[in-house]
């Protein structure tokens, strides 16, 4: 795996696939801005310790969530894992629903019952995220089974980290989806770490996750997860092939988590040494948001001023949503037993 | 009313439910075999075919997650474990997700009405990993409905109830009961969930017994009657939710409580019912409660060890005699021999 | 005697055991991080290095089987789950194999002395899948030793005992106790397995409390003393084997029993102890037993819901007041606020 | 996978590896005779219904157990699954220990506590078999970890059926063994069925299990599981490479179960139709015992009379052992609680 040059993978993408049109490129960028600004704002506010819920911020990995979500059809469904804010937001989950959930309020998407790792935005096709590794990989396969049984052309997408590929449930799910040629897209965000553990303690030398899935007869592709255009193209192509009955597909998106595994800090801020600042900086240079913005300007699809305007606009929206979240009511203890059975 | 075997009742309940609800499908190891899970899926397989009854690889954990994901999209999946012991592999999906789904997302992600059928093994030396009964751990964690049909009418009724439930349900069926006969109504009448069956009324002692032990208790009650002891026999039918009202009313009436369960004592269902009485019917109790459970060791294989491991009708009857101060002489004579020879 | 934190006591017990027994190694997610499982593996890591303390992928089920296989060859593997909720994934290897190994092969395949350390979460909205306590299901099935250290001296002593045990042991450590202080002997004294600790003697009521609830009970007992109520406080320390003698002797003395546990009531440990008293100390009981457990729903996240979900010192104290016919006025005032802010 | 011609695979083996010497060939054959005669005798006696334990007979698959076991070093260890008699016997487990276990007697290797699926012959290096799919795959990896930590040159061998490759624990184990280059040999007996389910409901079209293990960087080979010489050669080569620190290896041995999944009957006897008699007969033609015997005679290493003599000798031993088993004491119920903790 050539982490130094993930861009080369993207090159290959571009050459083999048509560029998304201007509107799509702009939509992708605006979604990136929304997700990034939302996460950054929440992360900084998290330091006030008023959000009592262990939180895994997705800053740096937004292009995967955005690229895939924007390629999905309205009635496709998405599932996610513990690092789920990006996917929830990119699929259209409301900022208030997320912020209020972190603040433990009634306006939270799970009304203060789920917390950061248990989000839902069913109306937007974001079914759920869950905190146990690999769980929602199997669940997405089940939704795909339902779609196939009903002859619908819907696809189930499941987002997870590369550590989920260490859990047996991943292979049981892969095997099953492949046997029945189910309409499911497996989206692996390989950010090189599981908590503080690098890949080499979790995978044999020379491992290629795509090779594993191919051995289960599941077509796969490794792409640059920081290039939203490449992700969108790969996802669009994959989803089309799946919808045509081509069976499940797997995308390994190479990306990088900027902040600590759980919580708002940067690892170097708190003296963690499992990865060094230089590595972080090299990946920050590949920032998916900046990169998408530069692309728009270079291709004459937007001006720097427009980028700034959009940035300002979304920040206002976010500020309002967060204010609403903090103003939202606390759940009434009398409702403790609601929704048990 | 016509009589059916427990296995036929399971089958009829499944077929009637599938007839009404096209969203129901059945999968798991061996569900589409000609032998159809000891007969219980044969008719459904013939009636509804491979679209709705299909085999699965050995993948307990993911299959449970797959059922959850299908249920989240509006299906009513039924997955079957030929032995409930295999379900340990699925405890994460079952307890960490299915059981908590409605609650964790405050109902905003919908519900996941999956039905897990799992068979309890017993006899013919099935041994330590093929004859456990997982209802206590499953009921310990809020969110699952846990059913244990003991009689054919409830094998059908609880199957129908499970297939109308809003949330995840586990039905623990007892292999040793599959060939037992009993009255079963023809129409599709679900057994009310959370309502125990008073199998017979009595005044001297309350016997709360689950699954196969309820079957044994009927025999024990017959023998006790001959000795002039009137036992009230209660089959809880659902472990969670538990019908505490019926149990407490009976204990308040008889003042004596014996609980016979198909598993171990420690943190088991027998302890739950004993605790319930000690907490909420204490003033009515005339004697110490008595728990009748597996011997406190893994299930052995060899016949004399199996015989020592499993409590039977005579264990229950003898306990009642002692509790009522009657000569506690062995009642071994009353036990029927275990004729089970498979298929497992 | 010098005081240590619970986390330091866990660490000291592990280091002293590893010092004597070269067969001991420690693996699992994050065991070799600088943060060392909330401090409990840091010194062992420094002292014994990567040969004996090493990280593992996320593979709970196979890792447990791997520990079994290493133990079968004479090693003493310690595997650590940062949250015991992840252990559901390992229930098959743990309950269907490790727990039954010695029995199923009649001792002829040797023993598998594995130690599974698993942390119970609580607070800061850790939620439904990161704050469960799996001791009841683990203790239900014969074959495992299940330990729950509540005080630093037992955090060390039980660690030492587990690492000398003949068979598989699960140690459930409570995250909320890691920073609590207590006397800890310097030398390597294992806590006797199956022997409860009488934390304080009393005459009016027996309080049996596990893990974090034992810690809360000490506070409750202090407050009760101020009101002239003398509570006898028992920490079972090991759930299986359970020291029934100590519990029964206390109940026979006080005639009153409250059980406070870190999990749910249904088929839980509180029910087990209540049943024990109702069966074997019935004549001594002066009042209904009382179980104090989680609210019967999955663990919520939002603070006001968490506050309503968890019983505390005041819950225990108030229950004792009521049981003794004293004004049951709220004791809420006595509760200390939960300052836990992670790391999780 | 070309099931019609598994022999071709063996050809390839032969060409690439040296033949075992005469003594070894004879040892292999005698072990085959012992295992086959033992299983056949027990199966026929099982019909009397005096062995109260669900039993999975291994008739037809003996060459895998024998070929691998004879290639193992004395201090290597073996694990097995539910269909374990062949492995137990081939590793040197006593016939009395097996027969008495089936009869539930005290002389049983597990003293009537384990039954047919829970065997042990620790002194012979057969540690245990267990009834839950995939369990002992992980356990063997753990024993290999112990060997590696102690710098021993021992190898752990685990025998399992192809359905174990449907369970997640198999992939978790494979990944772990590969990461740490552990001395473990995975021996898969692919007999085409799991209970009554054929491969196509359990594996995607075109599946090659060896391809899966290779994706985990575990070297693998598919061989003719009915050719004891081919199995022995492949096992010897694999074990040597593993012992040299080459890391784990996987052998997929193509074979076929003659009798019903559990119990003594032939499927056609009891009217099962999931596979037809013709398929059985085609595999019976490839009988591993006959084939090994023919090989000895063709290569002038034994005469037909010798084969018959050996057959008679072992049958006498078996008859004696079974008589002893039936005469063995029943376990005393007073010992019910022995060995719980
Ligand atoms: C079954 C299980 N084991 C362990 C954990 C603890 N855990 C939570 S997140 C995490 C890291 C996962 O890494 P990855 O899947 O790569 O996602 P990332 O955090 O890198 O986005 C771990 C080990 C868990 N949640 N579930
Ligand atoms: C976890 C688990 N699931 C299901 C079973 C039931 N079961 C016992 S044997 C068997 C078939 C296994 O087939 P395979 O592994 O190919 O071995 P074979 O019987 O063909 O030798 C099944 C499904 C089990 N024992 N364990
Ligand atoms: Mg990662
Ligand atoms: Mg097979």
């Amino acid at each position: 795996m050539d982490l130094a040059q993930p861009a080369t993978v993207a090159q290959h993408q571009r050459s083999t696939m048509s560029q998304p049109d201007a509107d799509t490129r702009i939509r992708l960028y605006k979604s990136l801005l929304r997700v990034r600004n939302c996460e950054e704002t929440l992360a900084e506010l998290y330091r006030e310790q008023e959000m009592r819920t262990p939180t895994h911020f997705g800053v740096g990995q937004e292009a995967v969530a955005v690229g895939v979500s924007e390629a999905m059809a309205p009635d496709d469904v998405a599932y996610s894992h513990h690092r789920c804010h990006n996917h929830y937001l990119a699929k259209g989950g409301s900022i208030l629903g997320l912020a209020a959930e972190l603040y433990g309020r009634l306006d939270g998407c799970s009304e203060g019952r789920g917390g950061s790792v248990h989000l839902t935005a069913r109306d937007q096709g974001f079914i759920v995220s869950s905190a146990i590794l690999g769980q929602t990989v199997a669940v997405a396969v089940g939704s795909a089974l339902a779609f196939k049984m009903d002859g619908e052309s819907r696809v189930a997408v499941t987002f997870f980290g590369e550590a989920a590929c260490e859990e047996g449930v991943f292979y049981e799910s892969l095997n099953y989806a492949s046997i029945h040629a189910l309409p499911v897209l497996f989206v692996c965000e390989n950010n090189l770490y599981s908590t503080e553990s690098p890949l080499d303690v979790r995978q044999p030398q020379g491992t290629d996750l795509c090779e594993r899935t191919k051995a289960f007869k599941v077509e796969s592709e490794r792409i640059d997860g920081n290039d939203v255009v490449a992700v969108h193209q790969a996802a669009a192509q994959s989803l089309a092939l799946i919808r045509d009955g081509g069976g499940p597909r797997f995308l390994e998106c190479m990306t990088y988590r900027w902040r600590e595994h759980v919580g708002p800090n940067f690892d170097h801020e708190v003296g963690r040494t499992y990865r060094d600042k230089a590595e972080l900086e090299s990946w920050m240079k590949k920032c998916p948001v900046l990169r998408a913005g530069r692309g728009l300007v270079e291709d004459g699809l937007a001006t720097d001023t427009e980028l700034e305007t959009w940035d300002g606009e979304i920040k206002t929206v976010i500020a309002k949503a967060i204010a609403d979240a903090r103003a939202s009511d606390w759940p009434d203890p009398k409702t403790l037993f609601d929704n048990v059975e | 009313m016509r009589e059916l075997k427990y296995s036929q009742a399971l089958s009829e309940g499944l077929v009637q439910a599938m007839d009404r609800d096209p969203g129901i499908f059945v999968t798991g190891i061996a569900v589409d075999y000609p032998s159809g899970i000891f007969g219980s899926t044969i008719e459904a397989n013939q009636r509804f075919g491979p679209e709705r009854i299909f085999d699965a690889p050995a993948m307990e954990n993911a299959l449970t997650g797959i059922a959850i994901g299908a249920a989240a999209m509006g299906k009513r999946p039924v997955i079957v474990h030929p032995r409930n012991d295999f379900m340990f592999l699925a405890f994460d999906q079952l307890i960490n997700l299915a059981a908590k789904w409605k609650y964790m997302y405050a109902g905003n992600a919908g519900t996941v009405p999956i039905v897990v059928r799992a068979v309890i093994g017993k006899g013919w030396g099935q041994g330590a990993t093929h004859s456990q009964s997982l209802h206590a751990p499953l009921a310990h964690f809020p969110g699952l409905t846990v059913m244990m049909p003991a009689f054919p009418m409830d094998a059908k009724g609880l199957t129908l109830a499970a297939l109308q439930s809003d949330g995840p349900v586990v039905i623990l069926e007892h292999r040793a009961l599959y060939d037992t006969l009993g009255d079963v109504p023809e129409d599709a009448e679900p057994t009310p969930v959370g309502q125990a069956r008073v199998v017979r009324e009595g005044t001297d002692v309350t016997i709360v017994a689950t699954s196969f032990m309820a079957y044994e208790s009927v025999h024990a009650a017959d023998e006790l009657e001959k000795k002039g002891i009137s036992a009230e026999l209660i089959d809880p039918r659902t472990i969670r939710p538990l019908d505490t009202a019926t149990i407490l009313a009976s204990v308040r009436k008889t003042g004596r409580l014996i609980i016979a369960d198909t598993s171990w004592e420690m943190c088991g269902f027998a302890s739950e019912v004993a605790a319930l009485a000690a907490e909420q019917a204490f003033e009515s109790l005339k004697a110490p409660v008595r728990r009748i459970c597996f011997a406190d060791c893994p299930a052995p294989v060899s016949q004399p060890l199996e015989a020592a491991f499993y409590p039977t009708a005579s264990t229950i009857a003898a306990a009642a005699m002692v509790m009522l101060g009657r000569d506690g002489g062995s009642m071994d004579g009353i036990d029927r021999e275990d004729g089970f020879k498979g298929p497992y």
Side-chain angles (χ1 to χ4, degrees), chain A residues 162-229:
Chain A
E162 83 287 347
C165 303
E166 296 155 22
E167 294 282 357
V169 67
F170 174 72
Y171 300 94
E172 295 179 355
S173 303
L174 206 58
N175 189 49
Y176 192 87
S178 185
I179 290 169
H180 296 284
L182 300 181
V184 56
L185 178 61
F186 301 97
V187 182
C188 176
E189 295 187 27
N190 186 341
N191 61 6
L192 317 182
Y193 295 91
S194 171
T195 312
E196 303 182 18
S197 305
L199 291 175
D200 61 12
V201 302
R202 304 179 286 121
Q203 298 179 354
Q205 281 302 325
T207 291
D208 172 359
L209 292 177
C210 293
E211 184 189 357
R212 291 191 186 182
T213 67
K214 287 188 183 110
F216 284 83
K217 308 305 163 192
V218 172
E219 280 312 316
S220 56
E221 189 173 13
R222 172 183 292 148
I223 61 174
D224 179 351
N226 280 20
D227 178 346
V228 74
V229 171

Side-chain angles (χ1 to χ4, degrees), chain B residues 8 51-52 69-70 80 109 124 145 185 213 230 269 274 305 311:
Chain B
Q8 295 168 315
E51 298 298 307
R52 294 178 65 187
V80 184
W124 200 256
T145 295
M213 293 312 283
S230 160
F269 179 72
L305 296 176

Side-chain angles (χ1 to χ4, degrees), chain B residues 3-6 8 151-152 177-184 215:
Chain B
E3 284 201 323
L4 288 183
K5 284 183 177 176
Y6 186 92
Q8 295 168 315
F151 301 101
L177 293 173
Y178 266 59
D179 291 333
T180 57
L181 278 167
D183 291 345
V184 179
Y215 171 79

